[in-house]
Amino acid sequence: MRIACLGGGPAGLYSAISIKLRNAAHDVTVFERNRPDDTFGWGVVFSNETFDNITANDPASAQAIREHFAYWDDIAVNYRGERIVSTGHGFCGIARKTLLLLLQERARELGANLRFQNEIASAEALAKEYELVIAADGLNSKTRSEFAQIFKPAIDLRKNKFVWLGTQQKFDDAFTFIFEETEHGWVWAHAYQFDSDTATFIVECSEATWRKFGFAAMNQEKSCRTCERIFAKYLGGHRLMSNATHLRGSAWLNFPRVLCETWSHENIVLMGDAAATAHFSVGSGTKLAMESAISMADYLVSERTLEAAFAKYEDARRTEVLRLQSAARNSLEWFEDVERYLHLDPVQFNYSLLTRSQRISHENLRLRDRNWLEGAEAWFQRLAGAEDNKVRRPMFAPFQLRDMRLKNRIVVSPMAQYKAVDGCPTDWHLVHYGERAKGGAGLVCIEMTCVSPEGRITPGCTGMYAPEHERAWKRIVDFVHAETDAKICCQLGHSGAKGSTQLGWEEMDAPLKSGNWPVMAPSPIAWSERNQRARAMDRADMDRVRDQFVASAEMAARAGFDMLEIHCAHGYLLSSFITPLTNLRADEYGGSLENRMRYPLEIFHAVREVWPAEKPISVRISANDWVGAEGIEPRDAVEISRLLQEAGVDICDVSAGQTSIQARPVYGRMFQTPFSDRIRNETGIATMAVGNIYDPDHVNSILMAGRADLVCLARPHLANPYWTLHAAAKLGDRGEAWPPPYYAGRDQLYRLSGGGEPALSAV
Ligand SMILES: Cc1cc2nc3c(=O)[nH]c(=O)nc-3n(C[C@H](O)[C@H](O)[C@H](O)COP(=O)(O)OP(=O)(O)OC[C@H]3O[C@@H](n4cnc5c(N)ncnc54)[C@H](O)[C@@H]3O)c2cc1C
Ligand SMILES: Cc1cc2nc3c(=O)[nH]c(=O)nc-3n(C[C@H](O)[C@H](O)[C@H](O)COP(=O)(O)O)c2cc1C
């Protein structure tokens, strides 16, 4: 077959090699517009894993590449005058130019034709001459533009500015990050050695900082001199160099995130950066290019037609590309938002940086560098005021809010049981909450408990509006306090327009089949077409509901609850004041966010007056309506939290959604945690994260990275009331107290957990 590789970068050259290796009879030509040795850029990095794949494909070129590798195991982070080093990361680097020269040599040796200084004007013309065209023409692929209608590329130009420089200063002991605060804002560098005397030095900053420096108007020379001044204390007098002669101006770029809907057209197939890009901060562009080349070469052998080979190639590679792009997106967003984290202690900042792509978990970091992680865990425990001098996971650190001290960071998230009788909790609730309190969580939050009969969601919802409710709750609270060391929080709410609906396991949010009661809300709208239209609340209604919240809070205080949570999320009454989707009021309670927050804050202030001063109050919010700019977006949630913080709310329980039937949530592991992260780190209020958090590793990484103070688990606690004790056993932590009657079960579980980890070690 006559095959053209359009582009002599890693994708084009490695395709030529991989194809020739499998079938030397193929006639393969690589077209490259540049000269053989005239490459822009400096070094590239590979992880050990990538290198295994390359070695399996072609041991000869792998060996040649290996001989030129610079290796390092450490990552060093320079930040606020400290240099924190962690190890076990296993990377290697090579000059891009050396890599390309070695690949050229190997391709030639295998009989490929290499045609340099040969710019291809149109892939279509090439496709007429050759049976197969591998379009590996890089980030700004002309082929991709030529067939844009078919490939349908989505190109997302990211916010930060970066420039790819080199230096002869040595960074040979670690992959080095440097964060420098300048008069114009923060600027940072990603630096790594790639041969004996040169290192890559990528400089990055926000667009605002870049503008203030005036980089846009500088030539490359001046831009390098300016960067040298910024990083002078790390450069030891060495210069920063640019070799981006192909770029005009100062050579600063915005990273384009590229993904195409399809990768092939007739006999043309996209590969490498032309098909999809992964941000340089996860160092995987070259890996993607070379692994895709292997895959395509394999399918050319195994499949009988080009069409089938393309289909298989796309199928196999797209998942891998999307996986990497998702990690790369997390990583690039971390750098885009880095100024949010620049108040963090260097230990936490370092952890946040290392786990930014979410590919490296807490326990994976322990495998890489146990000492470093244990140092970070000890730091976390010290900061949390842990009494014993032990290294423990962050989830087992205490937490203090006002006078309430939690033994650990796990919260049983509020979950309606729909088992109340006329608002009164029953023995079901005693057993249900009693079990969860015995199960080891530091805090058990009871379900949304309603301040009036008409404020209930369903006829099965619990209330706090009658003396028998107070008595029944007191019995539960007393049990929790007498028999466990968990704390218990009362969530108070009013259903608003989502009231008078069926039990959770019937048809959720649908009106009752009979016996509906009238509902009210900020504005006269219905939750859905099927639900009744709510009556718009007037001032008298607002006063009455406020007084009901106050009366319920007084009852909760008498019942002995340790904490109160006001439910301002999920589309219920107070939430429906906050979101513009359901608050259409023209008075001072509608319109601006400040106005929409007025009533929930009135309730908070009134409740705070009667709630014991030594006990905390939380507010649960929906940080995202998931409908785009029409509704609450995470940036609005930051403003909401700021108002809560100013009002004296102790902690914000950051949930999301359930405020509109139009919502289109993007689910995933820990999917709401970014909202908690943003709120906590932009306002400084304590937060609870919730939503699809189910593994101890999730919890530990959220806490250690400072993305929340407490972590709520809902469904995992339905499946296993003893989630915390089981997690501790699995992790080899023996520091969580079990109820004495269960000691035999505890000891067996410890034994069965294998004791892979020793009991707690002293620092
Ligand atoms: C700042 C920065 C740092 C990076 N760091 C790393 C890293 O550490 N590790 C890593 O793996 N990746 C890294 N990358 C990404 C990596 O450089 C690319 O992902 C990789 O080079 C992609 O290979 P490719 O063959 O698809 O494209 P390229 O390497 O861009 O090759 C495309 C080739 O096609 C040629 N070409 C284009 N159009 C034509 C035409 N019309 N006719 C003839 N020839 C043409 C170009 O001259 C070029 O040589 C980084 C990228 C950037 C921007
Ligand atoms: C059965 C059930 C009932 C729930 N009831 C409430 C509730 O009363 N109040 C509340 O704020 N959230 C309630 N939620 C939401 C949970 O507290 C939690 O935010 C959500 O389930 C996501 O967490 P998870 O992924 O750990 O389940 C409920 C969730 C479930 C599954």
Side-chain angles (χ1 to χ4, degrees):
M1 193 191 292
R2 293 193 71 226
I3 301 171
C5 297
L6 200 179
L13 288 168
Y14 208 59
S15 284
I17 293 169
S18 304
I19 292 169
K20 287 296 264 183
L21 272 172
R22 283 161 182 75
N23 186 347
H26 285 316
D27 172 5
V28 182
T29 306
V30 178
F31 293 93
E32 168 57 51
R33 65 183 169 199
N34 293 330
R35 287 171 300 201
D37 57 352
D38 111 293
T39 171
F40 76 94
W42 300 90
V44 293
V45 293
F46 291 104
S47 67
N48 287 342
E49 180 211 348
T50 307
F51 211 68
D52 291 344
N53 298 337
I54 289 167
T55 308
N57 182 56
D58 180 26
S61 60
Q63 180 55 29
I65 294 170
R66 196 191 306 274
E67 281 163 16
H68 292 81
F69 267 155
Y71 289 95
W72 65 91
D73 234 10
D74 294 357
I75 294 182
V77 181
N78 295 277
Y79 164 66
R80 293 202 184 280
E82 279 194 48
R83 180 171 192 265
I84 297 190
V85 180
S86 57
T87 194
H89 302 292
F91 280 106
C92 38
I94 185 170
R96 180 177 154 95
K97 189 159 155 178
T98 310
L99 174 72
L100 293 185
L101 289 174
L102 293 171
L103 295 180
Q104 287 167 15
E105 198 178 313
R106 179 66 174 148
R108 252 190 233 107
E109 190 181 296
L110 291 168
N113 310 307
L114 305 187
R115 300 216 194 135
F116 292 97
Q117 294 178 275
N118 218 314
E119 175 136 14
I120 300 298
S122 151
E124 192 167 23
L126 205 62
K128 292 203 175 99
E129 243 185 274
Y130 288 82
E131 287 156 87
L132 164 63
V133 174
I134 295 179
D137 48 354
L139 195 60
N140 299 314
S141 167
K142 256 197 228 160
T143 311
R144 198 176 58 216
S145 319
E146 196 177 340
F147 298 101
Q149 301 287 14
I150 286 142
F151 297 133
K152 298 201 177 70
I155 301 179
D156 177 12
L157 215 53
R158 302 305 311 196
K159 289 193 286 193
N160 279 352
K161 288 283 181 184
F162 74 95
V163 62
W164 201 355
L165 304 176
T167 179
Q168 279 170 345
Q169 165 67 328
K170 290 248 186 296
F171 288 97
D172 51 1
D173 55 348
F175 189 112
T176 302
F177 290 102
I178 305 169
F179 292 84
E180 275 298 290
E181 192 168 17
T182 71
E183 68 276 28
H184 298 312
W186 287 82
V187 186
W188 53 96
H190 315 233
Y192 53 91
Q193 200 73 27
F194 62 80
D195 66 24
S196 54
D197 52 18
T198 330
T200 295
F201 198 92
I202 302 169
V203 180
E204 190 181 2
C205 64
S206 71
E207 169 120 21
T209 301
W210 180 79
R211 283 194 188 290
K212 285 187 209 151
F213 268 105
F215 279 120
M218 293 181 197
N219 61 22
Q220 294 188 23
E221 172 72 17
K222 190 146 183 239
S223 169
C224 285
R225 300 296 81 80
T226 308
C227 291
E228 276 164 18
R229 268 202 312 283
I230 297 171
F231 295 102
K233 58 177 184 281
Y234 303 93
L235 289 171
H238 289 280
R239 310 220 96 185
L240 289 175
M241 309 171 282
S242 169
N243 63 5
T245 42
H246 62 299
L247 297 175
R248 266 180 269 137
S250 65
W252 285 79
L253 302 169
N254 292 76
F255 187 83
R257 184 171 176 268
V258 176
L259 187 64
C260 297
E261 236 176 81
T262 52
W263 289 347
S264 62
H265 169 57
E266 294 173 353
N267 58 341
I268 302 172
V269 65
L270 291 180
M271 189 174 290
D273 276 4
T277 60
H279 192 247
F280 57 84
S281 62
V282 292
S284 295
T286 306
K287 162 200 163 80
L288 276 184
M290 293 173 76
E291 290 180 347
S292 291
I294 298 174
S295 169
M296 188 68 233
D298 276 342
Y299 292 124
L300 277 182
V301 174
S302 69
E303 302 309 304
R304 300 177 63 173
T305 62
L306 267 191
E307 201 184 348
F310 288 171
K312 286 255 170 139
Y313 157 77
E314 207 172 314
D315 205 37
R317 295 302 298 159
R318 190 173 282 277
T319 318
E320 174 64 10
V321 164
L322 288 176
R323 210 173 56 81
L324 244 170
Q325 279 199 331
S326 154
R329 189 191 54 232
N330 293 337
S331 175
L332 74 85
E333 284 179 356
W334 189 91
F335 282 105
E336 286 177 352
D337 295 328
V338 72
E339 302 198 21
R340 180 188 300 156
Y341 306 110
L342 288 164
H343 66 283
L344 293 178
D345 180 280
V347 174
Q348 195 157 46
F349 181 79
N350 197 18
Y351 184 96
S352 179
L353 171 63
L354 291 176
T355 54
R356 69 190 183 279
S357 72
Q358 289 179 28
R359 276 193 306 183
I360 302 179
S361 70
H362 193 75
E363 295 310 319
N364 184 271
L365 266 181
R366 194 180 314 279
L367 293 178
R368 290 172 186 232
D369 190 345
R370 188 181 192 98
N371 282 342
W372 178 80
L373 188 69
E374 288 193 353
E377 288 179 334
W379 169 87
F380 192 92
Q381 295 286 342
R382 260 196 314 279
L383 199 77
E387 276 146 25
D388 43 5
N389 198 21
K390 305 278 190 210
V391 176
R392 300 190 67 188
R393 266 89 177 171
M395 64 189 278
F396 303 121
F399 186 65
Q400 178 105 17
L401 271 179
R402 299 207 179 206
D403 284 358
M404 183 186 74
R405 189 168 174 80
L406 303 178
K407 61 180 169 175
N408 63 42
R409 306 294 182 110
I410 303 297
V411 180
V412 176
S413 200
M415 279 179 288
Q417 297 297 297
Y418 312 105
K419 293 285 276 183
V421 177
D422 292 330
C424 198
T426 64
D427 281 354
W428 173 271
H429 298 88
L430 174 69
V431 174
H432 172 75
Y433 291 116
E435 278 302 287
R436 268 107 204 124
K438 285 194 284 173
L443 180 66
V444 175
C445 190
I446 64 160
E447 64 207 88
M448 172 163 138
T449 294
C450 309
V451 297
S452 63
E454 64 282 0
R456 289 175 302 162
I457 310 167
T458 75
C461 287
T462 51
M464 187 70 98
Y465 49 81
E468 62 272 24
H469 299 168
E470 184 184 322
R471 277 196 298 278
W473 281 121
K474 183 167 186 321
R475 180 167 169 244
I476 295 167
V477 172
D478 285 349
F479 175 85
V480 169
H481 287 159
E483 300 291 355
T484 79
D485 48 9
K487 303 292 180 198
I488 182 159
C489 170
C490 176
Q491 187 186 57
L492 288 182
H494 187 297
S495 52
K498 286 176 86 175
S500 188
T501 54
Q502 299 180 30
L503 306 188
W505 55 79
E506 293 172 349
E507 213 183 330
M508 200 155 165
D509 295 333
L512 294 171
K513 292 199 174 101
S514 65
N516 282 291
W517 61 82
V519 298
M520 59 184 177
S523 304
I525 54 178
W527 167 248
S528 79
E529 270 183 11
R530 295 174 61 194
N531 296 70
Q532 58 177 301
R533 209 166 119 107
R535 180 167 60 79
M537 290 171 80
D538 60 19
R539 186 64 246 181
D541 294 322
M542 289 164 78
D543 289 346
R544 197 173 55 255
V545 170
R546 182 199 58 213
D547 294 346
Q548 288 167 344
F549 267 94
V550 169
S552 297
E554 286 172 329
M555 287 178 165
R558 286 195 298 269
F561 281 99
D562 303 292
M563 175 172 165
L564 205 63
E565 176 164 282
I566 303 177
H567 199 339
C568 294
H570 303 168
Y572 299 115
L573 183 72
L574 300 181
S575 159
S576 66
F577 268 90
I578 300 175
T579 167
L581 301 174
T582 44
N583 182 342
L584 314 174
R585 296 179 77 100
D587 61 5
E588 70 269 37
Y589 293 95
S592 67
L593 179 62
E594 211 178 2
N595 280 358
R596 287 181 275 123
M597 283 294 288
R598 198 180 302 279
Y599 186 58
L601 287 174
E602 272 178 24
I603 302 257
F604 168 72
H605 285 299
V607 163
R608 186 67 267 182
E609 288 249 309
V610 300
W611 184 246
E614 71 281 7
K615 295 185 180 185
I617 301 186
S618 152
V619 168
R620 181 170 255 211
I621 62 166
S622 282
N624 195 343
D625 287 336
W626 298 113
V627 298
E630 307 259 285
I632 297 291
E633 292 189 290
R635 64 164 170 263
D636 305 309
V638 173
E639 291 320 307
I640 292 170
S641 309
R642 227 187 277 285
L643 292 170
L644 297 176
Q645 186 183 30
E646 280 164 19
V649 170
D650 298 291
I651 189 164
C652 182
D653 184 354
V654 187
S655 186
Q658 298 175 54
T659 50
S660 162
I661 54 168
Q662 309 295 342
R664 294 290 171 267
V666 183
Y667 293 114
R669 236 171 0 126
M670 304 183 272
F671 72 115
Q672 295 171 164
T673 302
F675 313 141
S676 161
D677 179 356
R678 184 161 177 184
I679 289 171
R680 183 178 188 272
N681 289 303
E682 288 188 14
T683 69
I685 194 172
T687 62
M688 300 196 234
V690 64
N692 218 13
I693 301 167
Y694 49 83
D695 194 286
D697 224 26
H698 302 159
V699 176
N700 288 321
S701 62
I702 289 169
L703 294 168
M704 191 69 228
R707 308 174 91 203
D709 296 276
L710 295 174
V711 179
C712 303
L713 287 81
R715 290 166 298 169
H717 277 117
L718 289 182
N720 180 6
Y722 292 82
W723 189 91
T724 305
L725 294 181
H726 281 241
K730 189 172 136 202
L731 292 167
D733 184 299
R734 306 296 185 241
E736 291 301 290
W738 282 62
Y742 298 173
Y743 280 172
R746 174 197 69 182
D747 295 345
Q748 186 188 42
L749 186 64
Y750 284 179
R751 270 195 308 279
L752 293 175
S753 308
E757 290 268 317
L760 303 175
S761 55
V763 195

